[in-house]
Amino acid sequence: MDGPVPGTPSLLRAINDRAALRALLDRGPLTRPEIGALTGLSKPTASQLLARLQEAGLVVLDGVREGLPGRTAEVYRINPAAAYAGALDVTPDRIEARIADLTGAVVGEHTLPTTRRRPAGELVERLGAALAGANPPDKLRRVVIGVQAAIDPATGRLGYAAAKDVPGWQIPDLVPTLSAGLGVPVDVENNVNLVALAEQAHGAARDSRDFVLLWADEGIGSAVVLGGRMHRGATGGAGEVGYMPTPGAPTAREAGRYANHGYQALTGGPAVLKLLRSYGVRGADFRQAVANAVRLAAGTGQRADDARAGLRDIAARLAVGLAAITSVIDPGLIVLTGGVVLPGGETLRELVEHELHALTIPRPRVRLSSVEGNPVLAGALDLALDTVREEVFGSTVRS
């Protein structure tokens, strides 16, 4: 059999092992008495448990802690080298890789520039090169890949993206093909979903079980978390609101299925840059233009008035889509992130919240993302580590 049988001593050992490993993971190095106190185990049982975990290579000695005169206690910690996990953030321009040990400590990172014109057949080669560039200390146990699309669970194919935007990814049995090519189990996840997982674990949504994350950047996407779990939908496309029909924007009927239409035609980066320029606000790109608008809006005079009007216009456009989402999902929280909203800071956040609450009966809180660095990589690594720990922590007992 593959695991402990319910009601047997092996099941109890497996439960105790997981509890001890989780305590070490959450609290850091502990003595045997501390592990016993946290898990409720007797001294002999805790000693047997630690011997078992050491033999399995999951726990190592971490020195001795001095106590009362003449008394010392051995300190134990998770063996960080027991397993490694990897994360990849894939965009048309680059692949970012990050490697972490079992404790979650990052041990390697690498960025591989790419080009949209690379042949599709080089997909596995590019992904492998990005991982190799991060110099993993040992074989990886799991890799999670974030992409600007979504896996359809019914077909195993990538959807919600034009082939030109994800060259090489439009293949059947995508996940098994990548796993075989890279020599490691792989999961492929929508990048915005991964950002939401990072916010749930480390950021603005840490205490929220029902929330929506809106990613407003070059394009628009969202993630939906209900009851503490990611909602992906029947075809994997839950949250693909960039294509949502929106008043004032062309639809797929006029523009084409994957053309610039719907919500993102009004609120995506290019549209925001064009809008702010119409108010006299300049910038090399939409991120800089939004930041300049906030700076100008803090002043006085006509330019300040124009900048404030431009920011209100952006907020109103964002609020229209968020109102539709709110009417269906009724989230307790909306997290805003991406290059359109983050440069706008609290100024833009307050405007969005004001405009949204003017349109909806529910009044969800609106907050800015608080995850630092690359949130796609953070979420991907969290997901990979969760899977690896579940596997490793359950491997100490076999019947």
Side-chain angles (χ1 to χ4, degrees):
M1 300 181 68
D2 293 331
V5 178
T8 64
S10 61
L11 173 63
L12 297 178
R13 287 196 296 271
I15 292 172
N16 292 338
D17 288 354
R18 284 179 181 273
L21 288 166
R22 180 55 62 178
L24 287 166
L25 189 65
D26 293 341
R27 295 173 177 262
L30 297 169
T31 63
R32 181 198 51 73
E34 289 172 334
I35 293 172
L38 289 168
T39 59
L41 299 177
S42 66
K43 179 178 179 180
T45 302
S47 296
Q48 294 170 4
L49 176 149
L50 286 169
R52 186 165 60 248
L53 295 181
Q54 282 184 282
E55 184 180 358
L58 298 180
V59 166
V60 293
L61 278 172
D62 194 43
V64 175
R65 185 180 299 169
E66 299 291 341
L68 295 173
R71 299 182 64 179
T72 60
E74 292 179 329
V75 179
Y76 298 87
R77 63 179 172 87
I78 292 281
N79 178 12
Y84 295 92
L88 293 170
D89 175 21
V90 181
T91 72
D93 303 312
R94 50 107 183 111
I95 302 173
E96 287 191 52
R98 184 175 293 170
I99 308 296
D101 63 30
L102 187 60
T103 69
V106 175
V107 297
E109 293 182 303
H110 182 64
T111 299
L112 178 69
T114 62
T115 173
R116 298 170 188 261
R117 297 175 181 174
R118 295 289 290 270
E122 296 183 11
L123 174 60
V124 172
E125 178 187 335
R126 297 199 307 273
L127 298 176
L131 288 170
N135 295 315
D138 203 347
K139 181 177 174 60
L140 299 177
R141 188 149 184 153
R142 173 79 52 171
V143 172
V144 172
I145 305 173
V147 295
Q148 297 174 351
I151 289 281
D152 185 334
T155 65
R157 286 180 174 270
L158 210 62
Y160 295 93
K164 65 181 179 62
D165 295 326
V166 283
W169 292 81
Q170 304 290 348
I171 55 178
D173 298 321
L174 176 64
V175 171
T177 299
L178 294 180
S179 297
L182 294 173
V184 56
V186 164
D187 293 313
V188 177
E189 180 61 271
N190 173 262
N191 61 337
V192 182
N193 284 352
L194 293 174
V195 175
L197 292 177
E199 290 292 342
Q200 189 178 29
H202 315 290
R206 187 174 299 177
D207 299 321
S208 298
R209 291 181 58 78
D210 296 279
F211 73 94
V212 169
L213 179 136
L214 182 74
W215 174 279
D217 205 273
E218 186 84 16
I220 302 291
S222 74
V224 178
V225 175
L226 300 175
R229 301 184 65 178
M230 185 68 61
H231 179 69
R232 292 178 172 82
T235 63
E240 292 289 347
V241 298
Y243 302 120
M244 181 172 62
T246 306
T251 68
R253 184 182 293 115
E254 297 91 39
R257 191 177 187 188
Y258 292 117
N260 188 34
H261 63 81
Y263 192 32
Q264 67 185 6
L266 290 180
T267 56
V272 166
L273 179 60
K274 182 179 180 180
L275 177 66
L276 286 176
R277 284 177 174 170
S278 74
Y279 284 96
V281 179
R282 303 299 175 185
D285 57 26
F286 60 87
R287 299 173 184 84
Q288 189 180 87
V290 172
N292 288 343
V294 172
R295 177 179 55 81
L296 290 170
T300 59
Q302 187 60 49
R303 293 192 70 192
D305 291 343
D306 291 343
R308 285 192 288 269
L311 290 171
R312 283 195 300 271
D313 203 343
I314 294 171
R317 291 183 177 200
L318 288 168
V320 168
L322 289 173
I325 296 169
T326 298
S327 68
V328 175
I329 303 298
D330 189 20
L333 171 70
I334 293 173
V335 179
L336 303 178
T337 190
V340 166
V341 292
L342 292 182
E346 279 297 307
T347 300
L348 185 55
R349 184 206 66 79
E350 290 178 1
L351 289 170
V352 171
E353 187 173 64
H354 175 77
E355 294 289 338
L356 174 62
H357 290 175
L359 297 174
T360 58
I361 294 176
R363 294 193 165 193
R365 293 169 296 139
V366 178
R367 297 290 180 264
L368 292 175
S369 166
S370 60
V371 175
E372 298 181 357
N374 184 331
V376 177
L377 273 184
L381 200 54
D382 283 346
L383 188 57
L385 284 169
D386 284 348
T387 303
V388 168
R389 288 165 180 163
E390 184 69 20
E391 294 173 352
V392 171
F393 290 0
S395 68
T396 58
V397 178
R398 291 288 183 266
S399 62

